[in-house]
Amino acid sequence: MLQVKHLTIRHKKDYRILLEDFNFHINPEDKCALIGEEGNGKSTLLKLLFNPVLTEDYVEYEGEILCTKERLGYLPQELPEIIRTLSIYEYLTATGSFYDHTPSELASLCVRLGFSTERIYAQEPIGVLSGGEKIKVQLLRLLLDNPTILLLDEPSNDLDIETLVWLETFIQDSKIPILYISHDETLLERTANKIIHIEQLRRKTAPRYTVVRSDYQSYIARRNLQFQKQEQEAKNERREYDKQQEKFRQIQQKVEHQQNAISRQDPHGAALLKKTMHRVKAYEARFEKEFEHMTELPEYEEAMFTKFGSHASIPNGKIVLDFSLETLCVPTCSNTQESITLAHNIRLFIQGPEHICITGKNGCGKTTLMRILAKELSQRSDIKAAYMPQNYEELLDMEQTPIAFLSDGSKQSISIMRTYLGSMKFTADEMTHPMRELSGGQKAKIMLLYLDTSGCDVLLLDEPSRNFSPLSNPVIRQMLTGFGGAIISISHDRKYIAEVCDKVYQLTEKGLVL
């Protein structure tokens, strides 16, 4: 059994507490989803449970992590660069248990994962695989070691819809417990039977956690209903308090006026007024004591907020893109000049403030196409386009701070960017941390601010929702839905596609199919 007792985790750099007095255990049937806003320590907790050495550079902890006779399988959010250079065969055989399995057992595992058995022995580097293929190869290696508990950090990232459905089935049918992080709300709704919710309240100075046996939708619905009820009760009690206080003030003013006006020749009347004032003060004191036990206004961590793209506007008749490409090719390997053709006769026409989405199987060339479109639109002078890549390091310097990246260095610009970052739930310390120390979701927020402050009217977004929490994603969708310019996006997020996009194209070998 994996059990955690009185675990407290704090940052070494700014001593901010991520988790305090955390208690938790995982049961054999658990499909436990770990949720919370970006930068709240979800990935850190998974790393710590798997191997505390992975976190010793940036956090310290106290408490007990008990893992008697368990074999943990851990899937990280990002593959180390050194792993990307290995071939599939080198990567799988790096674990000694590979040779403990017969060819029949290996084939059975591959069928379970929807992965071609022949590719086990392939020499192609891990780095050139599609996102879904990387996830499957990593899971294959984990399962070779016969783990008794799986820890999965964002397994749904970069997966096409077909593979997402596969992953849902894999989690549902798993015979061993799984603790996982995912930003895909649909996947959470279909798989989780237990929720761990990590929050940072009062501008990230007060950590709170909730552990509840529930499906995701029911948990969110109950939580929102509870907060609404508590907030309404608190507001009603405060309105009653204010009304009663106003009555006390009026009575006191009336009695004070009568005391000032009464003649000294009427000592009996003055004594009566004095008694009246004492009674009013006594009532007020008693009421104040009752107020101490009034319902508290609920504390909860709000999702980020920003007014996105309020300046953007494209006329309905404006031709944003009239694009044709005879063949879409990608290199077969990172160290050769050879290439493979993925699609033919690509045609894309966008007019006015259309919001379009491009989907397709992993490895079909969506990101390659998006880079070509970004280059094409960047050369236009009649519109201003901005690109949010899937890999933020294409634009972000990981040694730079958010403030340095977003501002021009002037006092006014720095002040404005601090305000914007504050609205995105960054603390003052996080604004000055190197970006390599930030979570994937926090980097995504910086990219979003970069797009907004660049004054663009066309957005090119490669998997825009992939690193935002399931609590932030509804806000992201609302913001992008209201964007007055054009959006060209790649996404497999089913809620994003349904709520944000006017048209959905599938990239196939024969081109873009509407």
Side-chain angles (χ1 to χ4, degrees):
M1 175 186 289
L2 174 62
Q3 187 171 14
V4 177
K5 293 183 177 181
H6 308 295
L7 179 67
T8 295
I9 307 174
R10 72 171 54 80
H11 268 297
K12 286 184 176 180
K13 187 168 184 176
D14 56 18
Y15 302 105
R16 179 166 66 91
I17 297 176
L18 294 174
L19 203 56
E20 187 170 33
D21 198 26
F22 176 64
N23 295 279
F24 165 74
H25 67 273
I26 195 163
N27 296 312
E29 72 281 4
D30 283 348
K31 310 295 187 294
C32 185
L34 180 57
I35 66 171
E37 291 298 330
E38 299 81 11
N40 280 8
K42 302 184 296 297
S43 294
T44 296
L45 177 59
L46 279 195
K47 290 177 184 176
L48 190 64
L49 294 177
F50 177 66
N51 184 357
V53 172
L54 298 176
T55 66
E56 63 184 9
D57 287 344
Y58 65 99
V59 297
E60 57 190 17
Y61 77 97
E62 55 193 46
E64 292 184 274
I65 300 174
L66 307 174
C67 194
T68 309
K69 298 180 181 179
E70 299 288 357
R71 294 186 304 278
L72 301 182
Y74 170 62
L75 186 145
Q77 187 176 135
E78 298 289 344
L79 269 174
E81 194 59 39
I82 191 170
I83 298 295
R84 295 171 184 268
T85 63
L86 298 177
S87 71
I88 296 176
Y89 182 72
E90 288 171 332
Y91 175 65
L92 293 176
T93 55
T95 173
S97 55
F98 178 88
Y99 299 103
D100 296 333
H101 294 268
T102 66
S104 176
E105 289 170 336
L106 290 173
S108 178
L109 272 178
C110 287
V111 169
R112 180 183 172 190
L113 296 175
F115 193 75
S116 170
T117 307
E118 291 74 22
R119 297 190 72 188
I120 288 179
Y121 306 98
Q123 295 303 312
E124 58 188 316
I126 299 287
V128 303
L129 300 181
S130 69
E133 290 170 333
K134 287 189 182 87
I135 292 295
K136 289 183 177 183
V137 169
Q138 289 179 83
L139 283 174
L140 178 57
R141 174 166 165 168
L142 292 182
L143 294 176
L144 287 172
D145 290 331
N146 296 312
T148 57
I149 298 175
L150 285 176
L151 308 176
L152 309 179
D153 194 350
E154 290 293 349
S156 54
N157 267 3
D158 307 326
L159 301 187
D160 58 38
I161 293 175
E162 182 180 329
T163 312
L164 278 171
V165 173
W166 166 84
L167 180 62
E168 289 168 3
T169 303
F170 174 83
I171 294 174
Q172 291 166 348
D173 294 346
S174 175
K175 304 301 182 186
I176 62 175
I178 301 178
L179 174 60
Y180 61 104
I181 301 168
S182 177
H183 294 160
D184 189 298
E185 293 162 78
T186 305
L187 181 137
L188 290 173
E189 291 168 359
R190 295 178 179 177
T191 58
N193 61 19
K194 193 172 188 176
I195 306 294
I196 301 176
H197 187 178
I198 299 176
E199 297 177 89
Q200 293 277 313
L201 309 174
R202 302 173 206 165
R203 298 193 66 81
K204 298 191 177 182
T205 61
R208 180 175 73 185
Y209 74 89
T210 303
V211 178
V212 61
R213 177 161 292 283
S214 170
D215 64 89
Y216 179 74
Q217 273 182 305
S218 298
Y219 169 69
I220 294 298
R222 281 198 303 270
R223 180 175 182 268
N224 291 339
L225 187 62
Q226 177 187 342
F227 283 157
Q228 289 170 10
K229 183 180 177 182
Q230 183 180 342
E231 186 173 16
Q232 190 59 51
E233 287 177 358
K235 286 180 177 178
N236 289 341
E237 290 176 11
R238 278 158 180 75
R239 274 196 295 269
E240 186 60 33
Y241 172 80
D242 292 340
K243 196 188 303 181
Q244 193 63 44
Q245 285 291 86
E246 182 59 29
K247 285 183 181 178
F248 286 139
R249 280 193 290 271
Q250 290 175 0
I251 294 172
Q252 286 181 35
Q253 288 172 0
K254 183 178 179 181
V255 173
E256 287 172 356
H257 176 72
Q258 290 174 341
Q259 283 179 322
N260 293 332
I262 197 166
S263 169
R264 290 187 179 182
Q265 284 76 23
D266 187 8
H268 177 67
L272 287 175
L273 287 173
K274 190 173 182 181
K275 287 181 180 180
T276 301
M277 181 61 82
H278 279 306
R279 282 198 300 273
V280 172
K281 291 286 187 185
Y283 287 141
E284 185 178 18
R286 193 159 51 212
F287 186 73
E288 286 285 353
K289 195 172 179 81
E290 291 176 2
F291 176 71
E292 295 175 2
H293 304 289
M294 289 176 70
T295 303
E296 292 286 341
L297 284 165
E299 282 191 306
Y300 55 92
E301 185 178 27
E302 294 180 348
M304 63 172 203
F305 172 78
T306 183
K307 293 180 180 178
F308 185 82
S310 55
H311 53 271
S313 178
I314 286 186
N316 290 332
K318 175 73 174 178
I319 296 177
V320 175
L321 185 67
D322 189 356
F323 176 81
S324 297
L325 185 66
E326 186 176 341
T327 57
L328 178 66
C329 302
V330 294
T332 56
C333 186
S334 58
N335 59 355
T336 72
Q337 298 300 314
E338 299 176 2
S339 65
I340 183 171
T341 299
L342 297 175
H344 299 273
N345 303 320
I346 293 174
R347 178 90 170 86
L348 184 59
F349 181 81
I350 299 174
Q351 185 172 6
E354 287 187 301
H355 294 179
I356 75 143
C357 183
I358 299 172
T359 68
K361 291 186 177 182
N362 289 127
C364 70
K366 300 183 297 297
T367 293
T368 302
L369 176 60
M370 181 66 84
R371 290 192 183 114
I372 295 171
L373 295 178
K375 185 177 180 180
E376 175 99 358
L377 288 169
S378 68
Q379 298 170 359
R380 293 270 294 275
S381 58
D382 57 329
I383 58 175
K384 185 168 184 181
Y387 173 44
M388 180 179 182
Q390 188 179 127
N391 178 9
Y392 307 136
E393 293 187 25
E394 290 181 29
L395 287 181
L396 299 180
D397 178 353
M398 292 296 108
E399 298 305 315
Q400 207 172 18
T401 68
I403 288 290
F405 174 73
L406 292 168
S407 73
D408 61 14
S410 67
K411 287 184 178 180
Q412 182 180 8
S413 177
I414 290 173
S415 177
I416 291 171
M417 290 308 159
R418 283 187 178 277
T419 301
Y420 284 158
L421 287 166
S423 74
M424 302 289 258
K425 307 305 175 187
F426 280 77
T427 66
D429 284 327
E430 287 169 338
M431 295 178 195
T432 56
H433 281 183
M435 283 189 273
R436 58 179 163 75
E437 297 181 7
L438 302 178
S439 71
Q442 288 174 310
K443 293 170 190 170
K445 287 180 176 180
I446 293 168
M447 287 301 309
L448 206 62
L449 277 177
Y450 166 73
L451 298 182
D452 190 29
T453 55
S454 65
C456 57
D457 45 24
V458 178
L459 298 178
L460 296 106
L461 310 174
D462 193 347
E463 294 285 359
S465 62
R466 68 190 292 266
N467 279 313
F468 290 112
S469 79
L471 304 167
S472 287
N473 263 323
V475 182
I476 296 294
R477 294 195 296 269
Q478 186 178 13
M479 287 160 47
L480 293 176
T481 299
F483 181 69
I487 297 178
I488 305 169
S489 57
I490 296 170
S491 183
H492 301 123
D493 183 332
R494 289 156 283 188
K495 289 186 182 290
Y496 172 89
I497 293 171
E499 295 177 23
V500 178
C501 304
D502 308 316
K503 293 180 181 177
V504 181
Y505 293 88
Q506 184 175 8
L507 182 57
T508 71
E509 292 180 0
K510 297 180 180 180
L512 289 170
V513 179
L514 187 60

